Amino acid sequence: MADCLPFRSTGFFSDLILDYIEEKKSLKPYYNRFPSVGNFKSQIEEKSKSYSHDHRPGLVEVLKLQYEALSTSEATQHHLDLLLEHSTFTVTTGHQLNLFTGPLYFLYKIVSTINAAKQLKENYPDSNFVPIYWMASEDHDFDEINFFNFKEQKLEWKREAEGAVGHLSTSGLEELAQSLEKEFGKSENAEYLKGLFKVAYLEHETLASATRFLANELFGDYGLVILDADDARVKSMFSSHIKNDLLYHTAFRQTEKQAGKLAELGYNVQVNPREINLFYMHKGIRKRIVKQDDDYCVLETELRFSEQGILNLVDEYPERFSPNVVMRPLYQEVILPNLAYIGGGGELAYWLELKSLFEAENVAFPMLMLRNSVLLYSDKISRKLKKLETSIQDLFLSPEALEAKQTKKNSSIEIDFESQKKHLEKQFDDLYELAAKTDPSFYGAVAAQEKKQKNGLDHLEKRLLNAQKRKLKEENDRVLELQALLFPNRSLQERILNFSEIYVDYGDRLIPELMEELDPFQFEFLCLELTIYNTKS
C-alpha cells in the first residue's frame, strides 16, 4: 500500500527545491526545461544536435573494459551496445562510494533513474534510453563514506585515507565483515547480506571496484550501466574544458554570477566556485590547483607548472585533472549523451547555479529531476497507527505538533478556544464603535485590553493542553515512539538507515517493490507499506 503527500507538507525540503518542483516563474531562468515527459522531445532534439557522437566508441570501450570482471546481465550488455547508436540517450544519477551503499536513498536514486529511462522508452519508442550510475570515485571525503548505520549502530571502516576514494585498497575490511556476523543475525536474508558484503569488499581490490560490483549485483538485471569516469580516455574528451577552466576561469565567473542572482531571490547558495575548479590527482593525492603569479601550483605540494607546461600536461595526462563539484556536472554532460540528471535536493540546488556555465561552454544543460523520496514502514506499524487512529502523514509533524494534535483529538475536553476568541472579538467590536466616537487614547485602551484578554485565553488554552498531555501521556508516547522509529534523529529515514536494515526483514522483494511503486515523474513524497513475512532465524 502506498500513499503520497506533497513535498512541501513534509517539512524536510528547502524552499528552493519546493519552488522548483512547483515551477515558480522566478526560477525558470536557472534551468533548461522542467522534467515533464512531454518536454523530453525538445531535450532529445537539442542533445542530439549538440553532443559529440564521436565520443560514443571510446565511451563504450571504456565501459566494456570496466565490466570485464563483472557478471553482466543481458539487459546491461544490450544497453552498452545501444550506446553506440546516435538514437540512444542516457538518464544519469551520481553518488558517492558509500560503504555498503550508505543511506537508503542510494536505492531510490537508482530506481528513479531506471524507471525514468523505462518511461521515456514507452513515450519515445524511436529512441533508446540507458540508465547510468556515475560513481563519484574521485571524491576525497573519506569521512563521509566510511560507514553505514544498522539498527542504531554505526558500522565504520577505520583507517587513514588520502586522495581519491575510488583508489583506496579494501584491505582492512575483514574485521568489519566479521562484526556483521553478529549485527545482521543468522536469518536467510542476513546470510545473503553478509555474503554480499564479503564478496564486494574482500574479493575486490579497490573501493571503486567493490562499489561497481555491489551496484551491479543489486541493479544489473534492470539494465543499469555503471560508469567510473576516472579514466584517461574519457578525460581526454573533456580536455578543452579543462583548459578553459585553467586559462579563463569560465566556471568561476559564470557560476558566481548565477549563484549571486539566486541569493538575491532569497535562496541559500549551495556551492561557491573557485577561480580554478580542478584538483591535481596523482600517486595518492588529490589537491587543489591554484594560480600564483604566472605559474600553476598544486597546494600542499612542491609541484609548479608554467602555463604551457600545465596545458601540455592536460594533453599528455588528462587523468591527473579531477573536476570539483562545480566542474563535475559539465564533465558528465560532455562525455555522455545525457538528457536528465536525477539527484536529491542538495544536488539540484547546486545544479541550478550552473546553467550559465553550460551556455558559455556550449554544452546542453540537462533536465533536473528530483529523485523519489520514500518512507518505508511495516504492516505491523500500520496496524499500530490504525489502532491509535493516527495517519502516517501525521508523523511528518514535529514531535511537539504531533503530541498536541493527538492530545486535542483524544481529549474528552474541548481544548480549542477558537469559539471563545471569536465571541471576544464580537464583544470588542461594540467597544471599538464606542471608541470611534471618543478620543484616540480610548481607542488605544480598547485595543490593549483586547490583546490582553486574547493573550489570557491563549495562556489558558496552553495550560489546558499541557494538563491533558499529562493525562494522555501513555497514549501519546506510543505515537511518539512510532515517529522516532520512522524518523531517526528527527530526520528522514532515507538519510539515516541503510538498505540492509530493511532487507533483513523484507528480503529480495525490496527492490522489485520499489521498482513497481516509484514514479520519477510524480514529484510527491511516497509512504510505502511493506508486508513483512517471518524469516528463518
Side-chain angles (χ1 to χ4, degrees), residues 229-402:
D230 179 11
D231 185 282
R233 287 155 292 186
V234 285
K235 286 274 179 78
S236 66
M237 303 173 192
F238 189 59
S239 60
S240 64
H241 302 277
I242 293 174
K243 291 178 180 179
N244 280 353
D245 193 62
L246 291 168
L247 295 175
Y248 309 118
H249 313 315
T250 307
F252 174 71
R253 289 184 289 103
Q254 296 296 334
T255 307
E256 187 177 53
K257 179 172 63 177
Q258 189 147 326
K261 291 179 180 177
L262 283 167
E264 288 174 5
L265 292 174
Y267 301 116
N268 293 328
V269 173
Q270 191 71 14
V271 294
N272 292 299
R274 301 184 184 277
E275 286 196 355
I276 296 175
N277 294 279
L278 297 163
F279 292 92
Y280 182 83
M281 189 170 69
H282 187 49
K283 293 184 178 179
I285 67 163
R286 185 175 186 253
K287 300 293 184 182
R288 280 180 52 210
I289 300 171
V290 297
K291 192 168 184 183
Q292 294 179 354
D293 300 324
D294 293 328
D295 289 340
Y296 293 83
C297 303
V298 180
L299 289 181
E300 300 178 45
T301 76
E302 295 181 0
L303 293 170
R304 194 177 189 95
F305 306 97
S306 66
E307 181 179 291
Q308 191 57 53
I310 202 164
L311 295 179
N312 291 341
L313 201 65
V314 173
D315 291 330
E316 293 177 31
Y317 302 104
E319 70 277 12
R320 295 187 187 181
F321 295 84
S322 179
N324 72 357
V325 67
V326 171
M327 286 288 282
R328 192 211 68 80
L330 185 68
Y331 179 34
Q332 171 189 296
E333 297 303 312
V334 167
I335 69 172
L336 292 176
N338 197 49
L339 301 175
Y341 182 76
I342 296 180
E347 290 175 283
L348 297 199
Y350 73 72
W351 274 87
L352 289 167
E353 298 178 24
L354 303 177
K355 183 168 176 276
S356 62
L357 165 61
F358 277 72
E359 290 169 347
E361 296 278 353
N362 295 312
V363 177
F365 194 64
M367 297 165 87
L368 304 178
M369 297 181 66
L370 184 64
R371 65 166 173 81
N372 288 110
S373 280
V374 188
L375 174 66
L376 301 175
Y377 61 103
S378 68
D379 52 338
K380 182 179 178 181
I381 287 178
S382 180
R383 290 192 294 272
K384 288 182 177 179
L385 289 171
K386 188 174 182 179
K387 188 175 180 181
L388 292 165
E389 297 182 355
T390 303
S391 72
I392 193 70
Q393 289 87 350
D394 285 343
L395 300 187
F396 284 83
L397 296 169
S398 70
E400 296 76 19
L402 176 60

Side-chain angles (χ1 to χ4, degrees), residues 111-178:
V111 172
S112 300
T113 304
I114 294 169
N115 281 348
K118 181 181 177 182
Q119 287 193 44
L120 289 173
K121 181 62 178 176
E122 292 169 357
N123 285 274
Y124 300 96
D126 294 336
S127 298
N128 303 304
F129 306 91
V130 175
I132 299 282
Y133 162 41
W134 178 293
M135 296 201 305
S137 56
E138 297 180 39
D139 282 3
H140 59 251
D141 296 320
F142 181 69
D143 290 343
E144 291 184 3
I145 66 160
N146 69 334
F147 69 95
F148 67 96
N149 298 312
F150 182 83
K151 295 187 176 178
E152 300 183 351
Q153 296 294 316
K154 183 179 181 180
L155 303 176
E156 188 175 2
W157 181 14
K158 296 178 181 178
R159 60 161 291 173
E160 296 295 322
E162 187 178 23
V165 295
H167 298 176
L168 291 177
S169 167
T170 53
S171 62
L173 276 166
E174 296 85 359
E175 184 179 346
L176 183 55
Q178 188 63 36

Side-chain angles (χ1 to χ4, degrees), residues 369-508:
M369 297 181 66
L370 184 64
R371 65 166 173 81
N372 288 110
S373 280
V374 188
L375 174 66
L376 301 175
Y377 61 103
S378 68
D379 52 338
K380 182 179 178 181
I381 287 178
S382 180
R383 290 192 294 272
K384 288 182 177 179
L385 289 171
K386 188 174 182 179
K387 188 175 180 181
L388 292 165
E389 297 182 355
T390 303
S391 72
I392 193 70
Q393 289 87 350
D394 285 343
L395 300 187
F396 284 83
L397 296 169
S398 70
E400 296 76 19
L402 176 60
E403 186 179 17
K405 183 174 183 178
Q406 287 294 117
T407 302
K408 289 178 180 180
K409 180 179 68 177
N410 295 320
S411 173
S412 58
I413 302 170
E414 180 64 43
I415 298 175
D416 190 346
F417 281 14
E418 195 60 35
S419 61
Q420 287 89 339
K421 290 174 186 175
K422 286 182 179 178
H423 180 68
L424 183 67
E425 287 173 358
K426 189 175 180 181
Q427 288 182 315
F428 272 91
D429 284 343
D430 296 335
L431 287 173
Y432 280 123
E433 285 185 20
L434 179 63
K437 299 174 183 177
T438 60
D439 61 85
S441 62
F442 183 65
Y443 191 94
V446 171
Q449 188 63 29
E450 181 187 24
K451 184 178 180 181
K452 181 179 179 181
Q453 293 198 30
K454 281 185 174 179
N455 288 341
L457 282 175
D458 287 340
H459 179 67
L460 288 173
E461 184 178 351
K462 188 175 181 179
R463 287 192 63 176
L464 180 58
L465 176 62
N466 288 334
Q468 290 301 98
K469 280 182 182 179
R470 290 191 292 272
K471 185 176 181 180
L472 298 168
K473 184 178 186 304
E474 185 176 337
E475 189 170 351
N476 286 344
D477 283 349
R478 288 201 292 271
V479 176
L480 293 171
E481 285 169 8
L482 290 176
Q483 184 188 50
L485 181 66
L486 293 180
F487 292 83
N489 301 332
R490 295 197 179 188
S491 182
L492 287 177
Q493 174 196 74
E494 62 184 32
R495 299 175 186 172
I496 306 293
L497 267 59
N498 179 260
F499 86 99
S500 58
E501 189 163 337
I502 308 297
Y503 197 100
V504 162
D505 289 328
Y506 201 64
D508 59 8

Side-chain angles (χ1 to χ4, degrees), residues 25-39:
K25 288 183 178 180
S26 60
L27 281 176
K28 288 192 174 180
Y30 301 91
Y31 59 91
N32 197 0
R33 297 176 181 89
F34 189 77
S36 63
V37 172
N39 282 344

